[in-house]
Amino acid sequence: MIIVPIKEGENIEKALKKLKRKFEKTGVVRELRARKQFTKPSVIARQKRLKAIYVQHLRQMELDK
């Protein structure tokens, strides 16, 4: 449960912004999207490996400049 303390006379929009920020930090939406569809562990590992290769390539290109 997310609790957002509101000060006396605080703008409701500011309080909503705080709530949204706290909600994003918990990662609930990200987890719901991930649970929507099952991804095989081998596919996850392949994606991680490809991302690592891509990042390494970007860093190498940056060093070569």
Side-chain angles (χ1 to χ4, degrees):
M1 181 188 234
I2 299 174
I3 298 172
V4 180
I6 301 173
K7 297 175 185 170
E8 187 71 30
E10 187 175 13
N11 190 356
I12 188 71
E13 290 166 6
K14 195 171 186 180
L16 278 173
K17 201 172 202 179
K18 282 182 184 180
L19 175 71
K20 286 180 185 179
R21 223 178 295 129
K22 274 193 173 186
F23 190 71
E24 284 178 13
K25 282 186 181 182
T26 59
V28 173
V29 176
R30 214 176 317 122
E31 187 177 334
L32 283 174
R33 287 183 182 148
R35 288 182 180 207
K36 210 174 191 180
Q37 175 181 344
F38 177 75
T39 307
K40 292 181 1 183
S42 60
V43 173
I44 294 171
R46 188 179 332 122
Q47 288 173 344
K48 281 185 180 180
R49 193 169 49 248
L50 289 173
K51 183 178 177 183
I53 291 169
Y54 174 73
V55 169
Q56 188 177 25
H57 177 72
L58 286 179
R59 287 187 179 149
Q60 187 62 37
M61 293 293 289
E62 197 172 279
L63 288 175
D64 290 341
K65 286 185 179 180

